[in-house]
Amino acid sequence: MTARNTVGPVIARRNAEASGALIGYLPVGFPTLDESVEAAVALVENGVDALELGLPYSDPVMDGPVIQAATQQALANGFRLADGFEAVRRITERVDAPVLIMTYWNPVVQYGVERFADDLAAAGGAGLITPDLIPDEGADWIAASERTGLDRVFLAAPTSTDKRIARVVEASRGFVYAVSTMGITGARADVDRAARTVVDRLTSAGAPASCVGVGISTAAQVREVLEYAEGAIVGSALVKALADGGVRGAAELAAELARGTRAE
Amino acid sequence: MALRAQTGPYFGDFGGRFVPESLVAALDELGEAYDLAKLDPAFGAELAELGRSYTGRPSIITEVPRFAKHAGGARIILKREDLNHTGSHKINNVLGQALLTKRIGKQRVIAETGAGQHGVATATAAALFGLDCTIYMGEVDTERQALNVARMRLLGAEVIAVKAGSRTLKDAINEAMRDWVTNVATTNYIFGTVAGPHPFPEMVRDFQKIIGEEARQQVLDLTGALPTAVTACVGGGSNAIGIFHAFLDDEGVGLYGFEAGGEGVDTPRHAATITKGRPGVLHGARSYMLQDDDGQTIESHSISAGLDYPGVGPEHSWLSAIGRAQYRPVTDDAAMQALRLLTRTEGIIPAIESSHALAGTLELGRELGPDATILVNLSGRGDKDMDTAARYFELYDEEAGA
């Protein structure tokens, strides 16, 4: 089984249209599996170009309080890894947007890296974003994603050296995830200036696409990021909208954020 | 290659750096600073002088014949890390990492703590070196180790009670890592055990291996021979690796790590990571860990906060895998009985953590017989555990205990 609907072409198309891509994050199973699927579909129907589905994990060191609370609730509700594949299948049956899974590494190791890749591809998934897997430790995943054609999105940080930036660019496929502030996920008043520098360095190192995440919560911030990056990733703000206003709340914020991807 | 010569990032199939990219530069910086410091005689001399004039090194050994009568007659010798300044072995590592913090020019340190001993040691070093200090401690642990929370605050540290997840040591580590990811430019993470991403397992071991280096010579001086066995409790495993390391290549010396068996390893309430876990990735390293089929970390349990951790250092996983060290579980109750036994027979009140090593040693002594000599790492003193012990053994007057 090989991946079909990968993220690179969508990002390229959106940038060819002189806008840029909006990527929305939601955790699987929050507030329930069904509602997380409905919310993800609603995001796409309201202007999100690609989805990042988070798998709830017991020790999420890169997540801020909003996402921690949501994933902890999903785990308390009985989230299982199989729900992740089911969510991908149900979403990709209904909308065309590519769906990436964001997961900490241990669940993949325990499921089996090859088996995880096969099942993700079979479900119609685009690939993986791996917040605690650096390319140095990623040989198994690089091999499995080569075999299946899945995207592999590694992270780049403001502190990454030039050598590491080059390594991340070489290892990634789909896009490189540029961490915009030195921080964990969570909406911030200003998207850090450091993001622009990271993206410039990624571009110089040959990255075909960089998407900026961590700290973006408004249409204005989306627009600002898309001036220099190929994509903007919104997480905590969407999760908060879903928690506060249900599927409709998340859909409304998505529509608002999508305004940031169009010329005024 | 000598087992003692093993360095990170990998110990066999274990170890590595499974961390966010944001932390790699800080880990590289720390690793490079440590590699330079290792080669710098001035660093070694400064650390040794702190050990001598501040910690109280070398720590003594104490033979405990009245206690040993309960262990099948084997000779039992305690390595007295409980007599160190701040009350446990944790200070050895903290002073090393605090000196490194000065070398890399950072002004703020953070640390996680379980029982509070590593937090107290870090707060102490921060006071000594004039550093800002924030300690993360699970909310459950702040309650059962309230005395250590007060000590840390008195020393000038900010103590943050972590309310996420199981509200114990593993969640304190998560929160400390989040702090580090956010404040890495100004902050050094003084990690307390031989787990975590490279270079921590190697570096913390190197700062703790003085325990075994001293004890090996002290036992030779006392008995004229190497011990039959060396024992220690294992949570993350820093005191155990500290006393094991000097003996790794002494083939005739058995090495035994005693994990927290909680209410029993056939119940869900224990922290016996090597005994009952399987390899996985937690807190930046591949090692044995307690986890479910999906790779979600299982919450551990131990009466001792310092051993209540579902992971273990990668070097221990390696020593277990190659058969060099054995790891066995000791229940809460066996540890508490051993705590009382050492107190009553020798007038030494051990930490509940260290009492796991004592309980395991009682059983091991009966197995090895009267010709054996067993060196036990008494890693900490029991002052912090008086409330737990008083409740366990009903030592409070009724109105006071109510």
Side-chain angles (χ1 to χ4, degrees):
Chain A
M1 194 71 198
T2 54
R4 293 154 308 196
N5 194 7
T6 52
V7 74
V10 171
I11 294 174
R13 177 168 57 74
R14 294 293 283 143
N15 280 276
E17 292 165 3
S19 59
L22 176 63
I23 298 170
Y25 167 94
L26 289 175
V28 178
F30 174 78
T32 64
L33 179 59
D34 286 346
E35 283 169 284
S36 64
V37 169
E38 290 304 321
V41 169
L43 294 194
V44 176
E45 289 173 347
N46 284 277
V48 166
D49 300 303
L51 289 165
E52 174 187 348
L53 288 187
L55 300 186
Y57 176 58
S58 51
D59 296 277
V61 295
M62 275 294 278
D63 290 323
V66 171
I67 292 175
Q68 275 186 64
T71 55
Q72 211 159 334
Q73 186 182 323
L75 287 169
N77 291 344
F79 167 82
R80 296 298 309 267
L81 278 188
D83 297 343
F85 301 115
E86 186 185 331
V88 171
R89 186 176 304 109
R90 285 165 59 180
I91 293 163
T92 53
E93 279 168 6
R94 289 172 57 186
V95 291
D96 286 334
V99 180
L100 292 155
I101 289 278
M102 195 292 282
T103 180
Y104 291 89
W105 193 235
N106 193 49
V108 181
V109 172
Q110 300 308 319
Y111 196 85
V113 178
E114 295 289 340
R115 179 176 163 229
F116 197 102
D118 284 333
D119 288 2
L120 180 58
L128 288 183
I129 300 170
T130 50
D132 64 346
L133 184 73
I134 54 178
D136 322 43
E137 303 283 0
D140 291 353
W141 165 233
I142 289 170
S145 52
E146 280 301 313
R147 181 176 62 76
T148 51
L150 288 166
D151 287 330
R152 47 176 185 264
V153 177
F154 291 104
L155 278 60
T159 49
S160 302
T161 59
D162 289 344
K163 198 173 157 191
R164 293 201 60 79
I165 290 267
R167 181 95 190 258
V168 164
V169 168
E170 189 199 342
S172 295
R173 187 166 60 203
F175 63 89
V176 177
Y177 193 130
V179 178
S180 62
T181 58
M182 283 313 294
I184 52 180
T185 60
R188 282 174 176 74
D190 295 298
V191 174
D192 201 74
R193 202 161 292 278
R196 194 181 289 264
T197 311
V198 177
V199 171
D200 286 348
R201 293 172 64 206
L202 287 167
T203 306
S204 303
S210 303
C211 298
V212 173
V214 188
I216 303 171
S217 59
T218 67
Q221 289 171 337
V222 169
R223 176 171 292 117
E224 184 192 324
V225 164
L226 292 181
E227 282 171 13
Y228 58 87
E230 283 73 27
I233 304 169
V234 181
S236 295
L238 285 167
V239 177
K240 186 166 189 307
L242 177 60
D244 294 345
V247 171
R248 188 170 163 187
E252 284 171 1
L253 178 59
E256 164 62 20
L257 292 167
R259 288 178 46 230
T261 67
R262 291 187 289 271
E264 298 244 83
Chain B
M1 185 176 81
L3 296 178
R4 270 182 305 160
Q6 185 69 42
T7 59
Y10 300 102
F11 298 89
D13 292 336
F14 305 101
R17 294 201 300 186
F18 296 86
V19 294
E21 175 67 27
S22 309
L23 288 183
V24 172
L27 292 170
D28 281 343
E29 177 185 47
L30 199 56
E32 285 160 19
Y34 176 59
D35 286 342
L36 287 174
K38 265 195 294 198
L39 302 172
D40 181 353
F43 181 84
E46 193 176 1
L47 188 57
E49 178 56 22
L50 278 169
R52 192 190 66 76
S53 63
Y54 192 71
T55 308
R57 302 217 70 87
S59 67
I60 59 171
I61 56 169
T62 302
E63 182 158 12
V64 286
R66 278 168 48 75
F67 179 80
K69 284 201 180 110
H70 299 264
R75 287 185 79 170
I76 296 181
I77 298 164
L78 306 182
K79 177 63 172 167
R80 300 293 304 279
E81 293 297 300
D82 62 315
L83 296 178
N84 292 343
H85 179 46
T86 73
S88 79
H89 72 290
K90 292 292 188 187
I91 192 77
N92 303 328
N93 166 50
V94 162
L95 290 175
Q97 291 201 51
L99 283 181
L100 272 184
T101 304
K102 284 203 324 187
R103 287 199 155 213
I104 57 183
K106 291 181 178 175
Q107 187 53 36
R108 176 175 180 261
V109 292
I110 57 172
E112 82 295 342
T113 197
Q117 292 304 101
H118 175 61
V120 166
T122 303
T124 298
L128 179 65
F129 293 125
L131 302 168
D132 298 327
C133 180
T134 300
I135 304 293
Y136 292 94
M137 189 170 188
E139 191 178 39
V140 169
D141 295 334
T142 61
E143 287 159 10
R144 59 181 164 177
Q145 306 278 199
L147 184 66
N148 271 343
V149 174
R151 289 170 79 191
M152 289 183 270
R153 288 185 174 145
L154 191 61
L155 286 158
E158 179 188 15
V159 180
I160 296 178
V162 177
K163 296 177 172 66
S166 59
R167 298 178 292 134
T168 59
L169 179 55
K170 92 173 170 70
D171 308 285
I173 294 174
N174 292 340
E175 209 55 42
M177 282 185 142
R178 289 187 192 104
D179 183 318
W180 204 25
V181 168
T182 308
N183 300 304
V184 65
T186 58
T187 298
N188 191 31
Y189 186 1
I190 296 190
F191 199 69
T193 190
V194 288
H198 179 73
F200 288 117
E202 174 191 332
M203 182 172 68
V204 177
R205 175 201 71 192
D206 287 352
F207 289 138
Q208 293 292 2
K209 69 183 182 182
I210 190 164
I211 301 171
E213 288 167 357
E214 288 174 4
R216 189 175 181 278
Q217 189 58 48
Q218 288 167 321
V219 171
L220 277 172
D221 291 345
L222 179 73
T223 70
L226 290 173
T228 317
V230 178
T231 68
C233 64
V234 179
S238 70
N239 91 81
I241 214 77
I243 199 160
F244 286 176
H245 192 259
F247 297 96
L248 287 181
D249 297 300
D250 295 326
E251 281 178 24
V253 178
L255 304 175
Y256 297 84
F258 295 106
E259 301 189 305
E263 294 173 8
V265 293
D266 297 321
T267 76
R269 286 175 59 76
H270 62 78
T273 306
I274 293 178
T275 307
K276 297 294 280 190
R278 62 177 201 279
V281 173
L282 176 66
H283 294 146
R286 187 170 188 280
S287 194
Y288 274 80
M289 58 178 285
L290 299 176
Q291 56 184 322
D292 70 13
D293 292 342
D294 280 356
Q296 307 284 355
T297 312
I298 294 175
E299 291 180 11
S300 54
H301 163 81
S302 170
I303 193 169
S304 77
L307 303 183
D308 195 350
Y309 181 57
V312 67
E315 192 167 4
H316 286 294
S317 291
W318 173 62
L319 291 174
S320 174
I322 63 174
R324 179 61 189 99
Q326 286 188 45
Y327 297 84
R328 300 178 176 184
V330 166
T331 63
D332 287 349
D333 186 61
M336 292 307 290
Q337 299 305 328
L339 181 152
R340 185 163 64 179
L341 183 65
L342 186 73
T343 304
R344 294 281 173 88
T345 55
E346 302 285 350
I348 297 170
I349 303 178
I352 300 176
E353 289 78 13
S354 319
S355 300
H356 287 71
L358 294 166
T361 299
L362 290 172
E363 199 171 301
L364 182 67
R366 291 176 207 125
E367 286 173 34
L368 297 178
D371 295 334
T373 301
I374 305 176
L375 171 66
V376 187
N377 196 7
L378 197 70
S379 55
R381 70 177 86 125
D383 305 32
K384 69 185 173 56
D385 297 315
M386 281 307 95
D387 187 58
T388 304
R391 289 171 198 281
Y392 199 85
F393 296 117
E394 298 178 348
L395 306 177
Y396 285 130
D397 291 334
E398 237 167 73
E399 59 273 30

